Amino acid sequence: MNTTRTGRPALTRPDGTPLRVLVVDDDPDLAEVLTGALRYEGWEVRAAGDGAAALTAARELLPDAVVLDVMLPDTDGFAVLRRLHAVQPEVCVLFLTARDAVEDRIAGITAGGDDYVTKPFSLEEVVARLRGLLRRAGMARMQAEGPWLAVGDLVMDEDAREVTRAGELIDLSPTEFELLRFLMRNPRRVLSKAQILDRVWSYDFGGRAHVVELYISYLRKKVDAGREPMIHTVRGAGYVLKPVTR
């Protein structure tokens, strides 16, 4: 298994690309230290010093996680969180709060934040909290020596062409395997029927939507049967694969 320079198992996005993290803090020294620590993990990191810059950076970076200070010069972190969720509903948010601001911590979790750390904090704690959030959300996987994909408890070995969910082997046809692979390489992303046809069947879109619908139904019967569903229909847009959150 690959490791970071800290010796921890490396985490990547499910498709093997670096995780994307946005750091939002108006203290440039603190932002620089945080950014450096997260880049040390092999992640793609950007920093913003206020709410407006954070929203601009989020639209460009499309981060998997945001480290967000509650107190910003032009707004507060809760307002930024609401705007961030409008852009990326599934993004993980780790709040930075003052040690004595208990009401901020409660408000942050109530507003939809996933976790918080209090200032002063250790860089190790921030990294550990982020790694835990991203793995629980199904937005990261450990980078193994083999070509593995994982979204929640759904795991695919691309070389062996084996798929398991919660450790139970799922028997797929070649087309079902390719369709599921495309979904797993794009977790939480809504994929249109045209995109799926182009990637899985290499067809130009036009009158073949029923093929996608049919194979999605096949996959659901095998992947979601008797379990919490992971394959969702977004009416008028397409399909999305999401890990089950508890």
Side-chain angles (χ1 to χ4, degrees), residues 23-41:
V23 174
V24 185
D25 197 294
D26 63 338
D27 181 338
D29 293 332
L30 178 58
E32 182 178 358
V33 170
L34 279 169
T35 298
L38 299 179
R39 284 183 178 146
Y40 205 66
E41 292 290 310

Side-chain angles (χ1 to χ4, degrees), residues 106-129:
I106 295 172
I109 300 301
T110 302
D114 297 285
D115 203 351
Y116 64 85
V117 293
T118 55
K119 297 180 178 180
F121 51 77
S122 73
L123 293 176
E124 284 288 325
E125 180 182 12
V126 172
V127 171
R129 294 288 186 93

Side-chain angles (χ1 to χ4, degrees), residues 19 32-33 63 68 78 96 104 121 142 148 157 160 181 187 193 220-221 226:
L19 286 159
E32 182 178 358
V33 170
L68 179 60
F78 309 133
L96 305 178
D104 284 349
F121 51 77
M142 284 190 182
W148 296 81
D157 182 339
R181 173 154 56 181
K193 293 175 184 176
R220 281 182 167 141
K221 290 175 183 176

Side-chain angles (χ1 to χ4, degrees), residues 90 136-138 152 165 188 228-230 232 242-246:
E90 306 297 340
R136 288 195 297 274
R165 181 163 181 194
R188 299 178 180 269
E228 288 291 320
M230 295 181 67
H232 303 271
K242 297 194 293 185
V244 175
T245 56
R246 302 187 183 280

Side-chain angles (χ1 to χ4, degrees), residues 200-221:
V200 179
W201 283 272
S202 300
Y203 290 166
D204 291 329
F205 186 66
R208 298 186 178 90
H210 67 282
V211 174
V212 178
E213 295 165 4
L214 182 63
Y215 274 87
I216 286 288
S217 72
Y218 291 161
L219 269 188
R220 281 182 167 141
K221 290 175 183 176

